[in-house]
mmCIF file of all heavy atoms in Angstrom:
data_model
loop_
_atom_site.group_PDB
_atom_site.id
_atom_site.type_symbol
_atom_site.label_atom_id
_atom_site.label_comp_id
_atom_site.label_asym_id
_atom_site.label_seq_id
_atom_site.Cartn_x
_atom_site.Cartn_y
_atom_site.Cartn_z
ATOM 1 N N GLU A 28 32.764 -81.565 -11.378
ATOM 2 C CA GLU A 28 32.610 -83.026 -10.954
ATOM 3 C C GLU A 28 33.162 -83.236 -9.569
ATOM 4 O O GLU A 28 32.958 -84.283 -9.003
ATOM 5 C CB GLU A 28 33.272 -83.896 -11.920
ATOM 6 C CG GLU A 28 32.371 -83.954 -13.287
ATOM 7 C CD GLU A 28 33.098 -84.901 -14.241
ATOM 8 O OE1 GLU A 28 34.211 -85.188 -14.148
ATOM 9 O OE2 GLU A 28 32.331 -85.478 -15.150
ATOM 10 N N GLU A 29 34.006 -82.272 -8.985
ATOM 11 C CA GLU A 29 34.570 -82.429 -7.649
ATOM 12 C C GLU A 29 33.415 -82.629 -6.722
ATOM 13 O O GLU A 29 33.579 -83.390 -5.700
ATOM 14 C CB GLU A 29 35.318 -81.167 -7.180
ATOM 15 C CG GLU A 29 36.828 -81.320 -7.558
ATOM 16 C CD GLU A 29 37.697 -80.221 -6.857
ATOM 17 O OE1 GLU A 29 37.273 -79.779 -5.796
ATOM 18 O OE2 GLU A 29 38.768 -80.072 -7.311
ATOM 19 N N SER A 30 32.263 -81.911 -6.883
ATOM 20 C CA SER A 30 31.200 -82.129 -5.837
ATOM 21 C C SER A 30 29.914 -82.604 -6.390
ATOM 22 O O SER A 30 28.962 -82.818 -5.789
ATOM 23 C CB SER A 30 30.840 -80.663 -5.257
ATOM 24 O OG SER A 30 30.621 -79.695 -6.313
ATOM 25 N N MET A 31 29.875 -82.918 -7.734
ATOM 26 C CA MET A 31 28.722 -83.536 -8.410
ATOM 27 C C MET A 31 29.097 -84.907 -8.987
ATOM 28 O O MET A 31 30.013 -85.013 -9.849
ATOM 29 C CB MET A 31 28.237 -82.608 -9.498
ATOM 30 C CG MET A 31 27.980 -81.168 -9.158
ATOM 31 S SD MET A 31 26.588 -81.042 -8.078
ATOM 32 C CE MET A 31 26.767 -79.302 -7.680
ATOM 33 N N PRO A 32 28.516 -85.905 -8.601
ATOM 34 C CA PRO A 32 28.779 -87.323 -9.081
ATOM 35 C C PRO A 32 28.506 -87.450 -10.540
ATOM 36 O O PRO A 32 29.242 -88.231 -11.181
ATOM 37 C CB PRO A 32 27.841 -88.196 -8.109
ATOM 38 C CG PRO A 32 26.783 -87.412 -7.742
ATOM 39 C CD PRO A 32 27.352 -85.921 -7.609
ATOM 40 N N SER A 33 27.623 -86.772 -11.133
ATOM 41 C CA SER A 33 27.251 -86.883 -12.497
ATOM 42 C C SER A 33 26.795 -85.588 -13.080
ATOM 43 O O SER A 33 26.058 -84.806 -12.425
ATOM 44 C CB SER A 33 25.983 -87.902 -12.636
ATOM 45 O OG SER A 33 25.720 -88.193 -14.056
ATOM 46 N N VAL A 34 27.265 -85.178 -14.309
ATOM 47 C CA VAL A 34 27.034 -83.951 -14.800
ATOM 48 C C VAL A 34 26.546 -84.094 -16.370
ATOM 49 O O VAL A 34 27.098 -84.837 -17.032
ATOM 50 C CB VAL A 34 28.384 -83.086 -14.876
ATOM 51 C CG1 VAL A 34 28.075 -81.688 -15.444
ATOM 52 C CG2 VAL A 34 28.825 -82.854 -13.424
ATOM 53 N N ALA A 35 25.559 -83.242 -16.693
ATOM 54 C CA ALA A 35 25.137 -83.184 -18.084
ATOM 55 C C ALA A 35 25.134 -81.760 -18.435
ATOM 56 O O ALA A 35 24.663 -80.799 -17.702
ATOM 57 C CB ALA A 35 23.717 -83.730 -18.082
ATOM 58 N N VAL A 36 25.732 -81.480 -19.664
ATOM 59 C CA VAL A 36 25.905 -80.069 -20.149
ATOM 60 C C VAL A 36 25.174 -80.079 -21.429
ATOM 61 O O VAL A 36 25.321 -80.844 -22.418
ATOM 62 C CB VAL A 36 27.377 -79.736 -20.432
ATOM 63 C CG1 VAL A 36 27.517 -78.396 -21.010
ATOM 64 C CG2 VAL A 36 28.174 -79.893 -19.125
ATOM 65 N N LEU A 37 24.336 -79.060 -21.598
ATOM 66 C CA LEU A 37 23.423 -78.846 -22.757
ATOM 67 C C LEU A 37 23.446 -77.516 -23.319
ATOM 68 O O LEU A 37 23.598 -76.494 -22.603
ATOM 69 C CB LEU A 37 21.945 -79.061 -22.196
ATOM 70 C CG LEU A 37 21.554 -80.460 -21.458
ATOM 71 C CD1 LEU A 37 20.136 -80.414 -20.997
ATOM 72 C CD2 LEU A 37 21.908 -81.612 -22.303
ATOM 73 N N THR A 38 23.325 -77.508 -24.502
ATOM 74 C CA THR A 38 23.060 -76.088 -25.315
ATOM 75 C C THR A 38 21.548 -75.802 -25.176
ATOM 76 O O THR A 38 20.765 -76.715 -24.859
ATOM 77 C CB THR A 38 23.487 -76.204 -26.773
ATOM 78 O OG1 THR A 38 22.674 -77.243 -27.370
ATOM 79 C CG2 THR A 38 24.886 -76.577 -26.832
ATOM 80 N N MET A 39 21.174 -74.678 -25.542
ATOM 81 C CA MET A 39 19.805 -74.283 -25.663
ATOM 82 C C MET A 39 18.910 -75.126 -26.466
ATOM 83 O O MET A 39 17.793 -75.751 -25.999
ATOM 84 C CB MET A 39 19.614 -72.835 -25.958
ATOM 85 C CG MET A 39 18.031 -72.426 -26.007
ATOM 86 S SD MET A 39 17.402 -72.504 -24.429
ATOM 87 C CE MET A 39 18.193 -71.177 -23.671
ATOM 88 N N PRO A 40 19.394 -75.556 -27.752
ATOM 89 C CA PRO A 40 18.395 -76.393 -28.535
ATOM 90 C C PRO A 40 18.421 -77.826 -27.859
ATOM 91 O O PRO A 40 17.419 -78.516 -27.936
ATOM 92 C CB PRO A 40 19.288 -76.491 -29.833
ATOM 93 C CG PRO A 40 19.957 -75.222 -29.905
ATOM 94 C CD PRO A 40 20.382 -74.913 -28.517
ATOM 95 N N GLU A 41 19.485 -78.349 -27.218
ATOM 96 C CA GLU A 41 19.416 -79.559 -26.597
ATOM 97 C C GLU A 41 18.530 -79.544 -25.242
ATOM 98 O O GLU A 41 17.939 -80.514 -24.948
ATOM 99 C CB GLU A 41 20.780 -79.945 -26.043
ATOM 100 C CG GLU A 41 21.757 -80.300 -27.313
ATOM 101 C CD GLU A 41 23.248 -80.532 -26.829
ATOM 102 O OE1 GLU A 41 23.610 -79.930 -25.703
ATOM 103 O OE2 GLU A 41 23.941 -81.179 -27.684
ATOM 104 N N ALA A 42 18.534 -78.392 -24.652
ATOM 105 C CA ALA A 42 17.646 -78.298 -23.479
ATOM 106 C C ALA A 42 16.155 -78.319 -23.812
ATOM 107 O O ALA A 42 15.343 -78.821 -22.945
ATOM 108 C CB ALA A 42 17.911 -76.900 -22.707
ATOM 109 N N LEU A 43 15.769 -77.913 -24.950
ATOM 110 C CA LEU A 43 14.432 -78.131 -25.457
ATOM 111 C C LEU A 43 13.959 -79.526 -25.478
ATOM 112 O O LEU A 43 12.711 -79.663 -25.616
ATOM 113 C CB LEU A 43 14.279 -77.336 -26.800
ATOM 114 C CG LEU A 43 14.483 -75.853 -26.796
ATOM 115 C CD1 LEU A 43 14.555 -75.274 -28.192
ATOM 116 C CD2 LEU A 43 13.262 -75.241 -26.062
ATOM 117 N N TYR A 44 14.782 -80.498 -25.486
ATOM 118 C CA TYR A 44 14.495 -81.949 -25.504
ATOM 119 C C TYR A 44 14.884 -82.666 -24.382
ATOM 120 O O TYR A 44 15.059 -83.857 -24.367
ATOM 121 C CB TYR A 44 15.049 -82.526 -26.816
ATOM 122 C CG TYR A 44 14.562 -81.949 -28.051
ATOM 123 C CD1 TYR A 44 15.098 -80.797 -28.704
ATOM 124 C CD2 TYR A 44 13.434 -82.463 -28.628
ATOM 125 C CE1 TYR A 44 14.559 -80.294 -29.816
ATOM 126 C CE2 TYR A 44 12.928 -81.903 -29.933
ATOM 127 C CZ TYR A 44 13.473 -80.841 -30.401
ATOM 128 O OH TYR A 44 13.055 -80.272 -31.571
ATOM 129 N N VAL A 45 15.275 -81.903 -23.226
ATOM 130 C CA VAL A 45 15.870 -82.666 -21.932
ATOM 131 C C VAL A 45 14.758 -83.505 -21.490
ATOM 132 O O VAL A 45 13.567 -83.377 -21.382
ATOM 133 C CB VAL A 45 16.201 -81.555 -20.947
ATOM 134 C CG1 VAL A 45 15.001 -80.810 -20.485
ATOM 135 C CG2 VAL A 45 17.100 -82.256 -19.802
ATOM 136 N N THR A 46 15.306 -84.806 -20.982
ATOM 137 C CA THR A 46 14.420 -85.783 -20.497
ATOM 138 C C THR A 46 14.284 -85.707 -18.941
ATOM 139 O O THR A 46 15.177 -85.055 -18.261
ATOM 140 C CB THR A 46 14.843 -87.159 -20.794
ATOM 141 O OG1 THR A 46 16.168 -87.410 -20.216
ATOM 142 C CG2 THR A 46 14.960 -87.276 -22.365
ATOM 143 N N ARG A 47 13.340 -86.360 -18.310
ATOM 144 C CA ARG A 47 13.150 -86.221 -16.941
ATOM 145 C C ARG A 47 14.203 -87.044 -16.203
ATOM 146 O O ARG A 47 14.750 -86.454 -15.221
ATOM 147 C CB ARG A 47 11.774 -86.914 -16.694
ATOM 148 C CG ARG A 47 11.344 -86.638 -15.143
ATOM 149 C CD ARG A 47 9.860 -86.960 -14.959
ATOM 150 N NE ARG A 47 9.378 -86.660 -13.683
ATOM 151 C CZ ARG A 47 8.120 -86.599 -13.282
ATOM 152 N NH1 ARG A 47 7.204 -86.968 -14.267
ATOM 153 N NH2 ARG A 47 7.643 -86.364 -12.095
ATOM 154 N N PRO A 48 14.686 -88.235 -16.642
ATOM 155 C CA PRO A 48 15.837 -88.837 -15.930
ATOM 156 C C PRO A 48 17.197 -87.960 -16.101
ATOM 157 O O PRO A 48 17.847 -88.129 -15.125
ATOM 158 C CB PRO A 48 15.975 -90.172 -16.874
ATOM 159 C CG PRO A 48 14.715 -90.376 -17.520
ATOM 160 C CD PRO A 48 14.039 -89.014 -17.783
ATOM 161 N N THR A 49 17.293 -87.309 -17.106
ATOM 162 C CA THR A 49 18.509 -86.381 -17.162
ATOM 163 C C THR A 49 18.554 -85.423 -15.947
ATOM 164 O O THR A 49 19.628 -85.216 -15.240
ATOM 165 C CB THR A 49 18.603 -85.621 -18.478
ATOM 166 O OG1 THR A 49 18.641 -86.590 -19.585
ATOM 167 C CG2 THR A 49 19.857 -84.730 -18.487
ATOM 168 N N LEU A 50 17.508 -84.760 -15.754
ATOM 169 C CA LEU A 50 17.346 -83.764 -14.670
ATOM 170 C C LEU A 50 17.361 -84.571 -13.249
ATOM 171 O O LEU A 50 17.851 -83.935 -12.257
ATOM 172 C CB LEU A 50 16.133 -82.991 -14.783
ATOM 173 C CG LEU A 50 15.888 -82.097 -16.052
ATOM 174 C CD1 LEU A 50 14.670 -81.181 -15.982
ATOM 175 C CD2 LEU A 50 17.073 -81.143 -16.124
ATOM 176 N N ALA A 51 16.910 -85.663 -13.273
ATOM 177 C CA ALA A 51 16.790 -86.369 -11.963
ATOM 178 C C ALA A 51 18.103 -86.945 -11.502
ATOM 179 O O ALA A 51 18.383 -87.134 -10.338
ATOM 180 C CB ALA A 51 15.717 -87.450 -12.069
ATOM 181 N N ASN A 52 18.939 -87.367 -12.448
ATOM 182 C CA ASN A 52 20.234 -88.059 -12.118
ATOM 183 C C ASN A 52 21.434 -87.223 -12.301
ATOM 184 O O ASN A 52 22.544 -87.801 -12.104
ATOM 185 C CB ASN A 52 20.220 -89.293 -12.924
ATOM 186 C CG ASN A 52 19.065 -90.273 -12.640
ATOM 187 O OD1 ASN A 52 18.621 -90.459 -11.484
ATOM 188 N ND2 ASN A 52 18.516 -90.785 -13.844
ATOM 189 N N ASN A 53 21.359 -85.977 -12.779
ATOM 190 C CA ASN A 53 22.575 -85.183 -13.011
ATOM 191 C C ASN A 53 22.461 -83.775 -12.558
ATOM 192 O O ASN A 53 21.314 -83.369 -12.371
ATOM 193 C CB ASN A 53 22.780 -85.090 -14.655
ATOM 194 C CG ASN A 53 22.944 -86.489 -15.307
ATOM 195 O OD1 ASN A 53 24.092 -86.948 -15.218
ATOM 196 N ND2 ASN A 53 21.931 -86.963 -15.763
ATOM 197 N N ALA A 54 23.632 -83.291 -12.355
ATOM 198 C CA ALA A 54 23.714 -81.828 -12.213
ATOM 199 C C ALA A 54 23.615 -81.426 -13.796
ATOM 200 O O ALA A 54 24.533 -81.588 -14.526
ATOM 201 C CB ALA A 54 25.021 -81.368 -11.542
ATOM 202 N N THR A 55 22.597 -80.597 -14.173
ATOM 203 C CA THR A 55 22.374 -80.254 -15.437
ATOM 204 C C THR A 55 22.664 -78.826 -15.692
ATOM 205 O O THR A 55 22.150 -77.969 -15.153
ATOM 206 C CB THR A 55 20.910 -80.517 -15.879
ATOM 207 O OG1 THR A 55 20.504 -81.900 -15.555
ATOM 208 C CG2 THR A 55 20.694 -80.275 -17.334
ATOM 209 N N ILE A 56 23.675 -78.623 -16.570
ATOM 210 C CA ILE A 56 24.078 -77.161 -16.841
ATOM 211 C C ILE A 56 23.678 -76.794 -18.212
ATOM 212 O O ILE A 56 24.083 -77.464 -19.177
ATOM 213 C CB ILE A 56 25.603 -77.027 -16.732
ATOM 214 C CG1 ILE A 56 26.209 -77.572 -15.348
ATOM 215 C CG2 ILE A 56 26.171 -75.663 -16.927
ATOM 216 C CD1 ILE A 56 27.681 -77.563 -15.213
ATOM 217 N N ILE A 57 22.942 -75.795 -18.350
ATOM 218 C CA ILE A 57 22.435 -75.221 -19.712
ATOM 219 C C ILE A 57 23.165 -73.971 -20.006
ATOM 220 O O ILE A 57 23.165 -72.993 -19.200
ATOM 221 C CB ILE A 57 20.873 -74.993 -19.621
ATOM 222 C CG1 ILE A 57 20.157 -76.187 -19.420
ATOM 223 C CG2 ILE A 57 20.549 -74.441 -21.100
ATOM 224 C CD1 ILE A 57 18.649 -76.040 -19.048
ATOM 225 N N VAL A 58 23.994 -74.035 -20.984
ATOM 226 C CA VAL A 58 24.900 -72.798 -21.425
ATOM 227 C C VAL A 58 24.202 -72.054 -22.416
ATOM 228 O O VAL A 58 23.794 -72.574 -23.499
ATOM 229 C CB VAL A 58 26.313 -73.359 -21.783
ATOM 230 C CG1 VAL A 58 27.089 -72.071 -22.064
ATOM 231 C CG2 VAL A 58 26.953 -74.266 -20.746
ATOM 232 N N SER A 59 23.962 -70.835 -22.383
ATOM 233 C CA SER A 59 23.319 -69.991 -23.234
ATOM 234 C C SER A 59 23.635 -68.421 -23.105
ATOM 235 O O SER A 59 24.334 -68.091 -22.113
ATOM 236 C CB SER A 59 21.786 -70.206 -23.044
ATOM 237 O OG SER A 59 21.105 -69.273 -23.994
#
């Protein structure tokens, strides 16, 4: 978060349902 204003962290099952606004407004980290 030092360099990213907004962060979303997802597991693989959660990433299968990721929304377009989530990717557009966050640094999205998928851990797998």
